[in-house]
């Protein structure tokens, strides 16, 4: 690993300080500090894939370990307590709002369950973007970085994150309304496949940024997907807001039906490589994955980190195990 430049050290320290920041509950009007909220239930879902209390997630590398020849992401071993979590809700709201999907047994067929899973991941995406905005704002204020970095690019990227927050706030409001008064504003589908030691929960907007100016779109069409290891199966829950959907999203939700194992694994590979960041697996599963497939996965995600096109081609199966 190469030695960090002075500029890299300054940015790494900024990111580390933002990571320590206390955040308020994402619920409007609540000023209590947020706790570490898990996107999927810690003791009923993540337990099913953890090994000795640990999981593997694809995470950005520690900025203090940056190197010129290294990938910006790594398969990182994380304790279950800190896995798949962000500072989202205060303890009171985290407990009261999500009690139904934090209490066993779970009924993954329920519309309300789908709403709660998707509402939480929308809030998580808002918080992630708020953290990004805070990072870029501090970088822009750092006098020691003036003349060392492209400030116009930082400002433009920060504006994109702010726009993304506004977009997601619309979905957050719709979910909150639907949770109070269910009126079928969303469509969800559930598919069940043989158990695989993986999990995920995300919202993503499939769009070709190279041909569409998203700032001219009031609200991006988005979809929600949850990969839930529960009851001896891999449960795929996919859905969308009926008001903000398109043909690709509707077809994609239907495309998870009746897949053979090879096609299912390839579809998961594309999901994790091309569409979402919030996912993980068991340490045992990582040991079974072929080194060359893991390398192909890293190379693809590195080259396509800003590619949100729904038409990406991912031509390998990450879960093709060694014999």
């Amino acid at each position: 690993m190469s030695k960090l430049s002075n500029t890299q050290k300054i940015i790494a320290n900024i990111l580390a300080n933002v990571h320590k920041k206390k955040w308020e509950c994402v619920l409007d009007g609540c000023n209590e500090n947020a706790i570490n909220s898990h996107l999927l239930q810690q003791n009923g879902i993540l337990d099913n894939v953890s090994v000795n209390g640990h999981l593997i997630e694809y995470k950005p590398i520690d900025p203090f370990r940056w190197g010129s020849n290294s990938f910006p992401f790594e398969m990182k071993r994380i304790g279950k307590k800190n896995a798949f979590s962000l500072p989202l809700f205060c303890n009171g709201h985290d407990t009261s709002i999500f009690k139904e999907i934090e209490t066993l047994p779970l009924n993954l067929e329920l519309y309300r369950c789908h709403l709660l899973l998707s509402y939480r991941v929308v809030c998580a995406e808002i918080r992630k973007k708020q953290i990004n905005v805070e990072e870029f704002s501090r970088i822009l204020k750092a006098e020691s970085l003036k003349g060392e970095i492209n400030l116009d690019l930082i400002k433009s990227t920060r504006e994109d994150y702010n726009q993304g927050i506004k977009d997601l706030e619309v979905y957050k409001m719709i979910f909150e309304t639907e949770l109070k008064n269910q009126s079928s504003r969303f469509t969800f589908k559930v598919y069940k496949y043989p158990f695989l030691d993986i999990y995920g929960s995300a919202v993503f907007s499939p769009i070709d940024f190279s041909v569409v100016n998203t700032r001219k779109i009031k609200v991006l069409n988005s979809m929600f997907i949850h990969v839930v290891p529960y009851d001896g199966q891999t449960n795929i829950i996919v859905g969308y807001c009926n008001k903000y959907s398109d043909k690709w999203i509707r077809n994609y939700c239907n495309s998870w039906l009746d897949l053979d194992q090879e096609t299912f694994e390839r579809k998961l590979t594309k999901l994790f490589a091309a569409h979402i960041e919030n996912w993980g697996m068991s340490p045992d599963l990582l040991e079974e994955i072929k080194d060359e497939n893991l390398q192909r996965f890293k190379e693809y995600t590195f080259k396509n980190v800003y590619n949100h096109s729904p038409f990406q081609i991912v031509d390998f199966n990450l879960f093709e195990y060694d014999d």
Side-chain angles (χ1 to χ4, degrees):
M1 183 176 64
S2 60
K3 186 177 180 180
L4 291 181
S5 68
N6 187 55
T7 298
Q8 287 176 316
K9 288 179 182 178
I10 294 169
I11 295 175
N13 277 299
I14 288 173
L15 300 186
N17 288 331
V18 172
H19 183 72
K20 297 174 184 176
K21 174 182 167 66
K22 295 291 185 182
W23 293 89
E24 289 185 352
C25 178
V26 296
L27 204 65
D28 293 341
C30 181
N31 298 320
E32 296 293 322
N33 284 339
I35 64 168
N36 215 30
S37 301
H38 287 81
L39 302 191
L40 290 175
Q41 185 187 16
Q42 179 184 178
N43 295 317
I45 295 176
L46 297 184
D47 262 348
N48 294 329
V49 293
S50 66
V51 176
N52 296 322
H54 287 84
L55 297 154
I56 301 294
E57 294 184 2
Y58 199 49
K59 294 284 191 181
I61 66 169
D62 186 324
F64 291 101
R65 293 172 47 227
W66 282 340
S68 58
N69 297 318
S70 64
F71 289 109
F73 293 86
E74 64 179 345
M75 292 293 185
K76 188 173 182 179
R77 186 180 178 92
I78 300 176
K80 186 183 66 173
K81 183 178 180 180
N82 296 314
F84 217 46
S85 60
L86 282 167
L88 300 179
F89 297 89
C90 67
N91 185 61
H93 286 129
D94 193 64
T95 301
S96 62
I97 294 173
F98 301 102
K99 183 177 180 180
E100 294 163 75
I101 57 171
E102 293 292 326
T103 305
L104 297 177
L106 299 175
N107 186 346
L108 297 179
E109 301 291 335
L110 291 179
Y111 178 63
R112 187 168 177 82
C113 174
H114 308 158
L115 290 176
L116 287 169
L117 287 170
S118 301
Y119 173 60
R120 184 156 57 186
V121 81
V122 164
C123 291
E125 196 61 35
I126 290 172
R127 181 49 41 93
K128 283 170 62 178
K129 285 179 167 53
Q130 288 174 338
I131 292 171
N132 293 142
V133 168
E134 180 71 15
E135 290 170 345
F136 285 124
S137 295
R138 294 192 188 191
I139 287 171
L140 287 169
K141 290 178 181 177
E143 291 294 328
S144 53
L145 291 177
K146 299 288 174 64
E148 300 296 326
I149 58 175
N150 186 334
L151 294 181
D152 288 336
L153 178 60
I154 297 294
K155 289 177 182 177
S156 176
T157 305
R158 183 180 64 173
E159 178 55 31
D160 287 340
Y161 281 122
N162 275 320
Q163 187 63 39
I165 292 170
K166 293 177 183 178
D167 192 69
L168 288 162
E169 288 284 1
V170 173
Y171 284 102
K172 179 174 177 284
M173 181 181 63
I174 297 173
F175 272 114
E176 289 171 349
T177 300
E178 185 72 354
L179 284 165
K180 291 177 182 177
N181 182 23
Q182 293 183 24
S183 57
S184 302
R185 292 179 176 89
F186 294 84
T187 296
F188 289 98
K189 298 189 178 183
V190 183
Y191 304 100
K192 298 180 182 296
Y193 286 96
F195 186 83
L196 192 60
D197 296 8
I198 55 170
Y199 55 93
S201 187
V203 52
F204 71 93
S205 302
I207 190 167
D208 189 344
F209 285 82
S210 66
V211 297
V212 176
N213 184 349
T214 58
R215 295 187 186 184
K216 294 183 179 180
I217 301 175
K218 187 173 182 180
V219 179
L220 288 177
N221 294 330
S222 298
M223 62 172 302
F224 317 96
I225 185 160
H226 314 284
V227 182
V228 185
Y230 182 71
D231 198 24
Q233 297 174 306
T234 298
N235 300 270
I236 306 295
I237 303 170
V238 286
Y240 51 86
C241 178
N242 298 326
K243 185 177 180 180
Y244 301 112
S245 66
D246 54 33
K247 183 178 179 180
W248 188 92
I249 286 175
R250 293 188 293 273
N251 288 341
Y252 182 82
C253 288
N254 293 330
S255 71
W256 286 88
L257 177 66
D258 292 337
L259 305 177
D260 59 49
Q261 189 64 23
E262 168 71 12
T263 306
F264 176 59
E265 292 173 1
R266 284 182 171 272
K267 199 167 184 66
L268 286 170
T269 300
K270 183 175 181 179
L271 174 69
F272 299 149
H275 297 312
I276 71 172
E277 299 174 356
N278 300 337
W279 68 279
M281 68 176 76
S282 74
D284 285 348
L285 180 56
L286 180 62
E287 289 295 319
E288 296 178 3
I289 292 176
K290 291 182 178 181
D291 289 341
E292 58 264 37
N293 285 340
L294 190 58
Q295 183 66 17
R296 292 177 75 181
F297 183 87
K298 291 180 178 179
E299 290 175 354
Y300 187 90
T301 56
F302 178 66
K303 292 178 181 178
N304 292 276
V305 65
Y306 296 115
N307 184 358
H308 299 275
S309 170
F311 307 111
Q312 296 178 59
I313 297 174
V314 181
D315 60 353
F316 64 95
N317 178 5
L318 178 65
F319 304 102
E320 179 186 20
Y321 315 135
D322 282 319
D323 296 329

